[in-house]
Amino acid sequence: MHGLMMDTPLLISSLIRFADLNYPDREIVSVTADNPLHRYTYREAFARSRKLANALRKLGVEPGERVGTLAWNDYRHFELYYAISGSGMVCHTINPRLYPEQVSYIVNHAEDQYLFVDLLVMPLVEALWPTFKGVKGVVVLTNEASMPDSQIPNLMCYETLIADESDEFDWPEFDENTASALCYTSGTTGNPKGVLYSHRSTLLHAFAGGLPDVLGFSGHDTALMIVPMFHVNGWGIPFSSAIVGAKVVMPGPKMADGEVLAALMNTEQVTVASGVPTIWLALLAYLEASGEKIPSVQRVSVGGAACPRSIIEAFDQKHGITVHQGWGMTETSPLGTIFKVKPTMGELTKDELYDLQAKQGCGVFGIEMRITDENNEPLPWDGEAFGTLKVRGPWVIKDYFKLESVDNPLDEEGWFDTGDVATIDPHGVMQITDRTKDVIKSGGEWISSIDLENVAVGHPKVAEAAVIGRYHPKWTERPLLVVVLHENAELPKADMLAWFDGKVATWWKPNDVVVVDELPHTATGKVNKLGLREQFADYAFPDAD
Ligand code: AMP
C-alpha cells in the first residue's frame, strides 16, 4: 500500500522558487575577473537565472543535453548552476586546471553543446577550440567591454546574451531522477570518468549537508565557498545555502590568495568557510606573516585530502576557529563523512579532540559505510582493523556516464568501492589510512602513508610532504619520505627522522628522507603519488644492501 502523500519531485528549480520568495534580500558577493567585489541578492540571482534559462532555450539546447562551464566561483557560475539544471539540461562543470588533453577529452565525451567560459580561461579554450567536436559556441562570462579578441566563430558575451531576455520563466517539472549535473573524476591513470548527478541526489545531499552536525548552515551564516564549483558541485554549498538563506561569498579566481580571502572574511563577516587543506595553509601563512585576524569566522570545513593536525591546531589556538574535516569523492556527490563531537565521547582533552578532528569524520545519514577485508567480509569498528572503504546511498554513483555495463563500479552486494583504505573506531569515526594503490606493505603489515605525511608537515620547517613505498630487500617495501622545505630552511636528515620519535610506531618510521624543490600534483591539487613513484623508480634505500 502506498502512502497518501504528494509525490512532488525533488527538483533544483524548487530551491530557486523557495529561496526567491523566502530570502530575496540575502546577499551573494563575489570576486570576478571583471569586478573586484560584485554584490547582489538572491532575488537578482534568480531573476538572471530565469533570463539565462530563456537564452539557453533560444540557443536550442534540449533537455538532457550538456552545457559545459569552465569557471571559477562567482555569481555567474551560480546562475549557470541553477539555470542549466533547473531547465532540465545537464550542467557539466569542468576543471580548468586539468591537462589540456583531458579538457578536450571531457568536452567531447560529454558532447557539450555550448561552453560558458571565464575570461581568464579563454586562452585555454582558444587553444583547444580546433579539438572540440560538437561545441556550437562559446559564451564568455563577462560584459561587452571586457570581451577578448578571439578566432572562435560563435563567440558570445554572457551579459549581452541575457540582457534582453525576459526574467519570467516557467521551470519545467520532470522526474526527480533526471540528470542535473556532470563532473569528471581526475584519476592519474586512464581517461577521466563522468559522474552524472540527478536532481534527487543533489537535493537529498543538500538537505544532509546543511544539518547542524554536518556543514551546519543557518540563515544567519555567511558562507565563504572556496571549494571550487568545478569540483563536485562546490560540495553542494550553492544548494545548501539556498535552503536556509545563508549569505554566500565567492572568491572567483583568488581562491589561493590568503590576503584576498582574509579581506573577504573581514569585510563580509564570514562565519563559515570551506576548502581543501592547501588553501588553509596559504591563509594561515598569510595571517601569521601579516598578524591579521579573522574574528567573525567560527568554523572551517576541510576535505578533499587529509587535513594535517597542524592546521587544526593553528586554527584553534591562534584564531579560535573549529575545523570540521570531511571525506568524500566525486562519486559520492561528495559528502560521505564529517567530524562531529558526539556526547558519548565524554570529556575530551584538547589533544584528544585534535586527534579526532584529524580523522575523516563520522557517518552522515544517507551514506552507509563499511570496511571489508580481501574476501569482502566486513571488518569490526574497533579503530584497529584496516580495510577497503565501501559506501552506498542515494547520492552515491551506480554507473559512470556512458560506461554503463562496461565498467561496473559496484560489488555484488551493491556497495561502491571507494579505493580508500580506512579504519572505523567504536564511535563511528572513520580514518583514511591510504588510497588502495598507495598503501605501503612492510613485512606484510600496512603502514599509513597519510599518517606519516601528517607528522612530517607538523615540522615547522616542512612545507609539504609525501610518503611512498619503495622496494626494500628485507621488508619488500619501506616508506620513503619526500619533503619540500619552507624557503631558506635547512633540515638535516637525522633531525627530520628524529621528529617521528614518539609520534608513530618505531617500525613505521621512514627509512630515508629526500628533500626536493617541489612535489608533482594532480589537477585538483593533490600530490600525484604515481608521478612521484615514477620519479623515484630507481631509488634504493641506504640500508638496502
Ligand atoms: P575526488 O573524487 O577528486 O574528490 O577525490 C576523492 C578522494 O580524495 C578520496 O577517495 C580520498 O582518497 C581523498 N580524500 C577526500 N577527502 C579526504 C580527507 N578528508 N582525507 C583524506 N583523503 C581524502
Side-chain angles (χ1 to χ4, degrees):
M1 183 164 67
H2 279 166
L4 292 173
M5 308 306 280
M6 294 186 191
D7 46 11
T8 313
L10 296 171
L11 297 181
I12 287 171
S13 55
S14 60
L15 283 178
I16 306 179
R17 276 198 290 262
F18 180 79
D20 199 16
L21 278 172
N22 288 278
Y23 319 117
D25 300 324
R26 268 317 242 165
E27 282 183 323
I28 297 175
V29 177
S30 44
V31 177
T32 64
D34 57 9
N35 190 338
L37 203 62
H38 177 274
R39 184 185 300 278
Y40 71 172
T41 60
Y42 272 65
R43 180 193 286 136
E44 288 167 282
F46 293 131
R48 281 168 54 96
S49 291
R50 291 190 293 270
K51 279 167 162 273
L52 177 57
N54 280 316
L56 285 166
R57 225 173 235 181
K58 278 208 187 123
L59 286 175
V61 189
E62 298 285 337
E65 287 187 328
R66 275 73 64 201
V67 176
T69 69
L70 279 142
W72 309 111
N73 292 10
D74 65 33
Y75 68 103
R76 294 188 182 107
H77 208 176
F78 187 90
E79 293 162 8
L80 284 159
Y81 258 49
Y82 278 101
I84 299 172
S85 304
S87 33
M89 300 153 193
V90 177
C91 180
H92 172 207
T93 54
I94 308 162
N95 180 349
R97 294 207 201 100
L98 289 174
Y99 299 119
E101 314 80 68
Q102 286 183 323
V103 173
S104 174
Y105 170 85
I106 285 175
V107 167
N108 290 331
H109 188 267
E111 301 171 66
D112 288 331
Q113 300 294 301
Y114 285 89
L115 294 177
F116 284 73
V117 181
D118 191 280
L119 200 51
L120 302 174
V121 186
M122 276 307 289
L124 172 73
V125 170
E126 189 83 44
L128 290 179
W129 177 253
T131 71
F132 295 151
K133 300 205 176 105
V135 181
K136 295 181 182 138
V138 169
V139 181
V140 189
L141 295 166
T142 192
N143 51 37
E144 210 52 70
S146 308
M147 279 296 279
D149 279 337
S150 169
Q151 301 302 312
I152 295 175
N154 191 10
L155 192 79
M156 290 164 272
C157 163
Y158 183 83
E159 292 302 329
T160 312
L161 180 76
I162 66 168
D164 296 330
E165 294 296 339
S166 161
D167 65 6
E168 284 180 21
F169 184 83
D170 275 336
W171 299 106
E173 282 236 339
F174 38 75
D175 180 345
E176 63 184 15
N177 288 300
T178 302
S180 62
L182 176 65
C183 184
Y184 281 72
T185 59
S186 52
T188 40
T189 50
N191 281 324
K193 292 193 273 190
V195 180
L196 190 62
Y197 308 101
S198 69
H199 285 257
R200 174 184 151 81
S201 71
T202 305
L203 260 80
L204 291 174
H205 179 270
F207 270 124
L211 287 173
D213 273 342
V214 185
L215 293 173
F217 280 157
S218 120
H220 295 271
D221 273 317
T222 295
L224 177 62
M225 181 170 60
I226 310 173
V227 49
M229 291 170 77
F230 57 69
H231 190 203
V232 213
N233 311 313
W235 296 357
I237 295 169
F239 304 119
S240 297
S241 316
I243 289 180
V244 295
K247 173 174 163 183
V248 181
V249 182
M250 294 175 274
K254 302 285 188 185
M255 56 179 90
D257 185 326
E259 186 172 357
V260 172
L261 296 180
L264 280 174
M265 286 170 165
N266 286 328
T267 54
E268 303 308 320
Q269 292 292 291
V270 167
T271 55
V272 50
S274 46
V276 296
T278 12
I279 298 298
W280 302 129
L281 285 173
L283 176 70
L284 286 166
Y286 169 75
L287 295 175
E288 188 70 28
S290 65
E292 232 177 277
K293 294 285 173 205
I294 43 171
S296 60
V297 182
Q298 300 157 4
R299 314 177 315 273
V300 153
S301 329
V302 57
C307 177
R309 191 179 144 136
S310 51
I311 291 185
I312 296 165
E313 286 177 23
F315 269 125
D316 181 43
Q317 292 167 9
K318 299 189 177 155
H319 302 282
I321 294 171
T322 308
V323 171
H324 294 270
Q325 175 160 198
W327 165 91
M329 311 177 70
T330 311
E331 287 89 337
T332 63
S333 298
L335 191 59
T337 60
I338 192 143
F339 179 68
K340 57 187 165 199
V341 175
K342 294 183 180 176
T344 45
M345 288 171 175
E347 286 286 309
L348 296 169
T349 64
K350 279 268 179 200
D351 257 353
E352 287 165 340
L353 180 63
Y354 295 152
D355 281 345
L356 285 169
Q357 286 172 295
K359 298 183 178 188
Q360 277 63 34
C362 312
V364 171
F365 176 72
I367 294 280
E368 269 182 279
M369 64 174 172
R370 71 183 193 181
I371 42 174
T372 57
D373 66 15
E374 309 77 76
N375 305 318
N376 206 19
E377 288 300 322
L379 290 164
W381 290 24
D382 60 7
E384 299 289 328
F386 290 65
T388 305
L389 179 66
K390 295 194 170 183
V391 292
R392 62 181 184 189
W395 56 86
V396 177
I397 190 169
K398 72 174 176 204
D399 255 320
Y400 288 101
F401 180 53
K402 290 177 34 183
L403 286 174
E404 298 92 323
S405 66
V406 179
D407 192 356
N408 179 7
L410 308 188
D411 71 14
E412 318 75 62
E413 292 170 49
W415 292 82
F416 172 69
D417 180 342
T418 64
D420 286 322
V421 177
T423 60
I424 306 177
D425 79 9
H427 290 291
V429 183
M430 188 271 283
Q431 181 171 24
I432 300 280
T433 54
D434 254 310
R435 293 288 296 160
T436 318
K437 56 187 186 309
D438 295 336
V439 149
I440 302 167
K441 235 171 174 187
S442 167
E445 299 287 338
W446 281 354
I447 295 178
S448 162
S449 62
I450 294 183
D451 274 6
L452 296 177
E453 286 157 8
N454 283 343
V455 171
V457 290
H459 193 291
K461 290 188 178 168
V462 174
E464 209 180 1
V467 173
I468 49 172
R470 290 293 75 192
Y471 174 72
H472 191 283
K474 181 165 177 199
W475 302 104
T476 316
E477 241 184 5
R478 288 294 302 160
L480 168 68
L481 171 65
V482 187
V483 291
V484 178
L485 299 181
H486 285 299
E487 229 172 278
N488 302 326
E490 282 182 18
L491 184 58
K493 259 185 201 190
D495 291 4
M496 178 75 252
L497 293 175
W499 176 252
F500 286 87
D501 291 339
K503 297 190 177 82
V504 296
T506 331
W507 64 275
W508 276 33
K509 250 175 93 168
N511 285 41
D512 195 14
V513 48
V514 179
V515 177
V516 293
D517 290 337
E518 59 177 344
L519 292 171
H521 289 97
T522 66
T524 45
K526 299 178 196 193
V527 173
N528 177 356
K529 293 254 181 116
L530 192 73
L532 199 62
R533 281 194 287 267
E534 277 163 14
Q535 198 177 322
F536 285 90
D538 299 326
Y539 172 85
F541 283 111
D543 63 341
D545 309 321

